[in-house]
Amino acid sequence: MKISKIAFVHGLALMTFFLLSGQNTEETDTWDNELYLGNKVSAGFGNWRTSGELQVRLADDMQALDQWFIEFIASYL
């Protein structure tokens, strides 16, 4: 009996939250979908460790190239 009352109260609170949050119908165009893509490759040869990474960032709803980065690291252990 107690569990069903607790579940009812939680359900009522969630319904109230969803109803109140849906009242703001003002649309603002503040979103700019960005996409970050990256690819990293690592390898080891004896005492040498190497890695390379290419990262691309797209902006304007993923229609334009914003930035790109290339990184290469070589270290001797």
Side-chain angles (χ1 to χ4, degrees):
M1 186 76 171
K2 271 186 174 180
I3 294 175
S4 63
K5 286 182 182 179
I6 292 172
F8 176 74
V9 170
H10 279 85
L12 187 62
L14 281 173
M15 281 185 2
T16 304
F17 173 74
F18 287 128
L19 288 174
L20 291 176
S21 67
Q23 288 180 356
N24 186 6
T25 58
E26 233 181 82
E27 273 193 46
T28 55
D29 192 18
T30 58
W31 292 99
D32 178 19
N33 295 320
E34 293 183 310
L35 180 64
Y36 294 176
L37 298 172
N39 190 15
K40 185 172 187 174
V41 177
S42 298
F45 306 100
N47 289 334
W48 284 94
R49 300 292 181 260
T50 59
S51 68
E53 181 176 3
L54 171 64
Q55 188 180 95
V56 177
R57 297 180 181 184
L58 304 173
D60 297 330
D61 290 329
M62 298 173 282
Q63 299 294 315
L65 178 65
D66 186 27
Q67 296 176 346
W68 60 277
F69 301 97
I70 295 177
E71 179 182 278
F72 180 77
I73 297 173
S75 55
Y76 183 79
L77 302 176

